[in-house]
Amino acid sequence: MVFRLEMFIYILVFVIAFLSVMILTPFFIKLGRKINLVGVDIHKIDKPIIPKTGGLILIIGVFSSLGAYILLEELSLNILALISASFIAWTIGLIEDIRGEIDPRVKPILLLSSAIPILLLSSYSPRPELPFIGATRLTKIYPVLVLASFPIVCNAVNSIDVLNGSISFTSIAFFTAILIVSIIHQSEYPLIISTIMLATLTAFAIYNKYPSRIFAGNSGSLFIGAVMASTAIIGRMEVVAVIALLPHIMNEMYIIFSMRGLRSAKQYNSRPITIQDNLITASLDREAPITLVRMLSSKIKVREDNLVRSMSILSFYSAFLAVLTNILFMR
Amino acid sequence: MSLARNTIMMIILLTIVWIGFILVTFILAYTLFPAIEYADGDSVLGLVRVFIGVTVLASWIYGWYKLTKIWFYRLMLRDRPLN
C-alpha cells in the first residue's frame, strides 16, 4: 500500500513537471521574442534569433512539481536547500542573460553563493561514499568541496550548452544515472529529484533539440548545474555524479587549460571550430581551445544534430560507467 | 575519419580517464584514507593527508589533460597540418 502511494507520488510529480513544460514552453517562446530575451543561433547559415527563456520554463517545471511533492509529503530541509541553491544559481544566470556576460573571473565567485544554503542548512554529510572503502571522514575539507562544486558543475553545464539540444540530452544522461543508483539504494531524495529533472528535461528537449525553438540560456544551464551539484551532495552520490559528469568536466577543463585560465571566449581570437554550409569542422589552429565539439569534429565536416547525438552517446556512456562504478566498487 | 570513429575514440579516452579515476581512488583507499580514520586530532597528519590527496588528484587531472592533447593532436588530427 505504501509502495503504491509512493509510486503514485512519483508518477504525479513526473506528469506535473512534463506537462507544465510541454504546455507552457510555446508561451515562453513568444514571451522571449516579446521582451527581446533572445540569442543568435551561430551555427546556422541564416543566424536565426532564438528566445533564451528556457531557464524560466525549467525553473517553473521543477518548482511546480516540487511544490506538489511538498504538499503531498513534507518540506524537508534538504528540499529547501536544493530550492534555495538552484534559485541563486538561476538568478545569476538570469542576470547574465539580461545584462550580458559576467566577467569569467567573477562568475565562479558569485556561484559560490549557491552552496551557502547547503552549508547553512547542514544538508550534507562530511562522510562521502568512496569506491573500495565506503564512507570516509572529510570533516574539515568537505565544506570547502561543497563550495567549490557549484562553480565547477554550473560552469561545466554552461560550457556544454553550445549546440541545439546538447544541454538537454547530456543532462538527461546524468539524471538517468542518478535515478538508477537511487533505485538500487532506495534513496528517496535523489530519486524524486531525478524523476522531476528527467520529466522537465525530456519535455524541454522537444523544443530545444535541433533546430532549437528555445535556448536554456545561462539561467537554465546554471540552474541545471546547481540541481546536479545539490542532488549529488545531499543525496550522497558524489562519486556517481563526478563520473556521470566526465564529458562536462572534460569540456570545461580543456577550455580553461587551453585558454590558460578563466577568460571570456569572446576575448579569444582562435575559435575551436569552423562552420561552412551548416557543417561543423574542427579548427586546425594549435592555439584554439580543445573542446568536446572540436574533438568530435576532427578531420570531418558534420551536421550539428549528428554532433549532439555523439555528445549524448558520450554522456550516456559516462552515466553507464557511473552506475557500473557504484555496482562494482562502492560498498 | 567518420563521426562514428571520432565518437569511439572519445569513448576509449573516457574509459582510460575512468580507469585512471578508479586507480587513483584505489591507491588513496589503501594508503591515505585508513590514516584519516585513525588520526583523530593530529593536525600535522591532517595537513599531510590533505596535501597528499590534493597532489594525487591534481596529478591525475594534469595527466588527463596531457593525455587528451596527445589523443587529439597525435591521434585524432594525425596527418593534418596544424596552423
Side-chain angles (χ1 to χ4, degrees), chain A residues 134-290:
Chain A
T136 189
R137 187 163 55 86
L138 293 174
T139 322
K140 285 169 192 147
I141 199 143
Y142 195 80
V144 180
L145 295 176
V146 170
L147 268 176
S149 65
F150 279 83
I152 292 171
V153 178
C154 289
N155 274 322
V157 177
N158 194 214
S159 70
I160 216 149
D161 185 21
V162 285
L163 301 177
N164 290 185
S166 59
I167 191 169
S168 308
F169 295 109
T170 55
S171 304
I172 285 172
F174 173 88
F175 284 105
T176 304
I178 296 290
L179 180 85
I180 293 168
V181 176
S182 310
I183 292 169
I184 292 170
H185 291 282
Q186 297 182 336
S187 307
E188 193 189 345
Y189 169 82
L191 185 58
I192 196 76
I193 302 300
S194 52
T195 304
I196 291 171
M197 286 307 289
L198 283 173
T200 305
L201 289 165
T202 306
F204 183 68
I206 293 165
Y207 297 95
N208 182 235
K209 70 177 189 199
Y210 182 92
S212 281
R213 282 177 277 168
I214 189 166
F215 289 157
N218 292 303
S219 56
S221 58
L222 299 188
F223 174 74
I224 293 170
V227 175
M228 285 175 173
S230 308
T231 309
I233 293 163
I234 302 171
R236 300 186 71 190
M237 292 194 179
E238 299 89 343
V239 170
V240 171
V242 167
I243 296 171
L245 279 175
L246 275 180
H248 298 71
I249 298 169
M250 249 181 178
N251 191 52
E252 184 191 21
M253 182 183 80
Y254 297 162
I255 294 169
I256 292 172
F257 277 37
S258 313
M259 291 168 72
R260 296 177 190 90
L262 295 166
R263 290 165 65 185
S264 168
K266 287 169 190 163
Q267 296 168 345
Y268 209 72
N269 291 331
S270 301
R271 307 301 300 166
I273 50 161
T274 54
I275 305 152
Q276 210 175 22
D277 302 330
N278 274 346
L279 296 174
I280 294 168
T281 189
S283 163
L284 294 174
D285 186 350
R286 238 186 206 282
E287 291 300 308
I290 299 175

Side-chain angles (χ1 to χ4, degrees), chain A residues 84-85 88-89 92 108-118 147 150-151:
Chain A
S84 315
I88 293 169
I92 294 165
I109 298 166
L110 290 175
L111 284 168
L112 290 175
S113 59
S114 299
I116 291 171
I118 309 270
L147 268 176
F150 279 83

